[in-house]
């Protein structure tokens, strides 16, 4: 049973949400019926509905407003997660099944901008959770340490262009810290959305950053997800960036079992990242389209692209430079998600040239 204090917090939070002007998906789908059906449920990790929704209650300006405290939450609190997933992921219904992992033929992708006129940099990332561990809000300090040990020893085995160094946040020297900030590699303690979701406990224990010598391959350990695996470089050679990521994920997967669900694909802390978990993005200069926001949004919608400001979510475009990525991660393969972004960016460049 869920304890009285938690129920009280839930009731108060629910009332606050109902009374608010919040535009979040949480507000949209947490009906009285759903709330009553879920408020007394718990996962085997001890997570309650409160663990899922507290960030969205505290931050009424959330877009989504819900996180999964552990892998089981997606099943236990399905009455709330399913409609939110369906809404965010383009009608991915609870009867739908995410396809099996398929990285496709890497060779069919190319360089989006060989002349280097538009694309400043290209990045592809995916998220992974380690099997047998809950997500951030439920992790103990000992588990954070244990996971970091597993990750750092696994990464020490990477070879070729992936070979590199793991830098734990704990006890990090000022020099290393500054270098990682200059490289834009260092992640900070979570924003208010993650803080409210209890995703930042025991900070910086168990958190760290791995990167290769060329600084084109990066892994974040225990930031928002257990693992964020990132491949990136200057320019528009998506094929090279994607190929590096695929090689790395396949290699790491042999040594660390990842949480996967037959219906939802790879499991992550935030439901927006489920499925392939893949986000392929470019930093791109589109000065003419920047002046015609409607046209930019129209093309973006057609190719399911998400347009963000230069520094990512919740920021402005500086000097007509956007961060543009695939919005769809579920109900399609890894290859399809990346190819959709590839085709969309190619189209944007074509329009920019014609204006």
């Amino acid at each position: 049973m869920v304890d009285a204090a938690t129920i009280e917090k839930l009731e108060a939070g629910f009332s606050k949400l109902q009374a608010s002007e919040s535009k979040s998906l949480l507000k949209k789908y947490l009906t009285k019926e759903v709330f009553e059906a879920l408020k007394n449920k718990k996962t085997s990790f001890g997570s309650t509905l409160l663990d899922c929704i507290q960030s969205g209650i505290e931050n009424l300006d959330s877009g989504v407003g819900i996180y999964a405290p552990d892998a089981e939450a997606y099943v236990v609190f399905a009455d709330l997660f399913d409609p939110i997933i369906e809404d965010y992921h383009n009608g991915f219904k609870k009867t739908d099944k995410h396809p099996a992992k398929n990285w496709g033929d890497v060779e069919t992708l190319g360089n989006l901008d060989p002349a280097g006129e538009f694309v400043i940099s290209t990045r592809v990332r995916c998220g992974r959770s380690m099997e047998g561990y809950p997500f951030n809000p439920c992790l103990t300090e000992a588990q954070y340490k244990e996971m970091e040990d597993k990750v750092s020893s696994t990464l020490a085995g990477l070879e070729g262009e992936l070979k590199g160094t793991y830098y734990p946040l704990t006890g990090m020297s000022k020099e290393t810290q500054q270098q990682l900030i200059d490289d834009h590699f260092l992640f900070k303690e979570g924003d208010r959305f993650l803080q409210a979701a209890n995703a930042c406990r025991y900070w910086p224990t168990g958190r760290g950053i791995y990167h290769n010598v060329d600084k084109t391959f990066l892994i974040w350990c225990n930031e928002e997800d257990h693992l964020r695996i990132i491949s990136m470089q200057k320019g528009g050679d998506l094929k090279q960036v994607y190929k590096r990521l695929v090689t790395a994920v396949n290699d790491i997967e042999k040594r660390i079992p990842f949480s996967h669900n037959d219906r939802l694909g790879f499991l992550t802390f935030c439901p927006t990242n489920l499925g392939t978990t893949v986000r392929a993005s470019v930093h791109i200069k589109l000065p003419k389209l920047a002046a015609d926001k409607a046209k930019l949004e129209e093309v973006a919608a057609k190719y399911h692209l998400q347009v963000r400001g230069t520094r990512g979510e919740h920021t402005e475009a500086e000097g007509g430079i956007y961060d543009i990525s695939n919005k769809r991660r579920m109900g399609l393969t890894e290859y399809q998600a990346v190819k959709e972004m590839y085709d969309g960016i190619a189209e944007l460049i074509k329009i920019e040239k014609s204006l």
Side-chain angles (χ1 to χ4, degrees), residues 210-224:
Y210 173 94
H211 70 75
N212 67 346
V213 181
D214 295 339
K215 300 184 177 178
T216 54
F217 175 68
L218 181 68
I219 290 183
W220 285 355
C221 179
N222 281 323
E223 182 243 4
E224 179 180 318

Side-chain angles (χ1 to χ4, degrees), residues 31-251:
T31 60
K32 187 77 179 136
E33 297 78 56
V34 171
F35 178 75
E36 291 301 334
L38 299 181
K39 71 178 186 187
N40 282 304
K41 292 193 169 177
K42 247 186 191 175
T43 70
S44 73
F45 291 99
S47 307
T48 67
L49 181 61
L50 186 63
D51 293 307
C52 304
I53 69 173
Q54 57 196 354
S55 181
I57 286 169
E58 231 168 276
N59 300 289
L60 294 169
D61 58 343
S62 295
V64 180
I66 187 171
Y67 290 100
D70 58 62
E72 273 175 40
Y74 284 113
V75 179
V76 176
F77 304 108
D79 292 353
L80 180 56
F81 277 104
D82 287 346
I84 288 177
I85 288 168
E86 182 171 344
D87 191 312
Y88 185 87
H89 292 282
N90 259 37
F92 186 89
K93 294 187 285 299
K94 64 167 179 259
T95 48
D96 289 343
K97 240 183 109 157
H98 182 72
K101 183 183 71 181
N102 181 1
W103 296 106
D105 181 2
V106 177
E107 299 301 325
T108 54
L109 298 167
N111 190 329
L112 280 159
D113 181 24
E117 295 169 72
F118 305 99
V119 179
I120 297 159
S121 61
T122 304
R123 177 177 181 264
V124 185
R125 65 96 164 140
C126 65
R128 289 290 184 268
S129 303
M130 293 164 70
E131 219 168 50
Y133 293 94
F135 302 153
N136 275 318
C138 303
L139 286 169
T140 64
E141 196 166 6
Q143 283 174 317
Y144 271 121
K145 287 182 177 149
E146 191 180 298
M147 289 164 82
E148 182 177 53
D149 289 344
K150 270 190 194 170
V151 171
S152 60
S153 61
T154 297
L155 299 180
L158 292 179
E159 278 156 21
E161 71 158 345
L162 300 175
K163 195 175 176 60
T165 310
Y166 180 79
Y167 302 94
L169 259 55
T170 309
M172 183 179 281
S173 73
K174 276 278 173 272
E175 299 79 50
T176 303
Q177 193 176 359
Q178 197 48 56
Q179 185 57 58
L180 291 168
I181 288 170
D182 295 343
D183 291 327
H184 299 293
F185 286 177
L186 194 68
F187 54 87
K188 296 191 281 294
E189 198 169 341
D191 58 20
R192 60 193 168 93
F193 300 95
L194 290 169
Q195 292 274 1
N198 270 338
C200 311
R201 297 188 314 164
Y202 312 115
W203 191 272
T205 302
R207 277 74 167 194
I209 293 161
Y210 173 94
H211 70 75
N212 67 346
V213 181
D214 295 339
K215 300 184 177 178
T216 54
F217 175 68
L218 181 68
I219 290 183
W220 285 355
C221 179
N222 281 323
E223 182 243 4
E224 179 180 318
D225 283 310
H226 295 170
L227 292 174
R228 276 281 165 93
I229 306 169
I230 304 159
S231 171
M232 64 195 168
Q233 67 196 48
K234 294 272 176 258
D237 195 341
L238 183 62
K239 174 173 136 178
Q240 226 181 354
V241 174
Y242 183 59
K243 196 172 185 169
R244 186 183 304 118
L245 181 82
V246 175
T247 306
V249 174
N250 287 338
D251 199 351

